[in-house]
Amino acid sequence: MPVSAETEFDIDATPDAVMEVLRDVEALPDWSDPHQNVEVLERYDDGAPKRIRAKVSATGISDEMIIDYTWTDTTCSWELVEADKLSMQKGKYTVTATDGGAHVAFELAIDLKIKVPGFIVKGQQKKAVETARQGLTAEVLRRVG
């Protein structure tokens, strides 16, 4: 059964600064603890990542995934192509301007191929939301100085 998580938060930086961090998918391991390694396999003509291979580990479960990205000026969305332990993953960051910086909406839905106790799944949902909010915010603020 698919599970989903959402959060919204503000960052004291421009939407362009936030999107720049999101486009730098190879740096995901710097600010997203579950990401062990990210390799860009294919890029769009403008240089944005189109397909990646990611190695992730969370709560003792490791997986290698192929993920396709879609980009606009204000969104970063992705969808799982293949993985060993996940059967589905869709996610999206939507970044909009505010008076003081950027507002970020994060959505994530996953479904597992393997049986995992519910409390572990719920813990991973919470960690994904915390990483989206805290990890992304810290990385954007670190880069803008």
Side-chain angles (χ1 to χ4, degrees):
M1 179 167 100
V3 294
S4 61
E6 297 179 0
T7 190
E8 294 188 26
F9 53 96
D10 292 327
I11 300 177
D12 188 18
T14 65
D16 287 345
V18 176
M19 291 302 297
E20 181 179 320
V21 169
L22 293 173
R23 275 191 289 275
D24 186 9
V25 296
E26 290 163 308
L28 268 167
D30 294 342
W31 60 269
S32 174
D33 288 341
H35 289 86
Q36 304 300 302
N37 187 24
V38 175
E39 174 189 3
V40 176
L41 302 175
E42 187 178 347
R43 292 186 183 274
Y44 289 100
D45 290 341
D46 68 357
K50 182 175 185 179
R51 178 167 283 192
I52 68 162
R53 175 180 293 119
K55 192 176 274 188
V56 297
S57 181
T59 317
I61 299 170
S62 295
D63 204 359
E64 190 168 299
M65 303 180 269
I66 303 293
I67 298 170
D68 281 347
Y69 277 90
T70 305
W71 303 89
T72 70
D73 289 343
T74 60
T75 63
C76 163
S77 57
W78 63 94
E79 189 165 349
L80 181 71
V81 176
E82 64 182 70
D84 294 328
K85 303 197 173 72
L86 288 178
S87 59
M88 184 272 293
Q89 182 187 101
K90 291 181 181 181
K92 184 176 187 178
Y93 284 99
T94 303
V95 183
T96 54
T98 65
D99 288 341
H103 181 77
V104 180
F106 171 74
E107 308 164 38
L108 180 66
I110 63 168
D111 199 3
L112 297 165
K113 293 179 184 176
I114 60 173
K115 295 279 187 199
V116 176
F119 73 93
I120 291 176
V121 173
K122 291 206 182 294
Q124 285 310 113
Q125 280 180 286
K126 183 178 179 183
K127 185 163 182 78
V129 167
E130 288 173 3
T131 296
R133 184 179 61 247
Q134 296 172 353
L136 178 61
T137 299
E139 182 66 9
V140 170
L141 295 178
R142 183 187 71 77
R143 289 190 189 193
V144 298

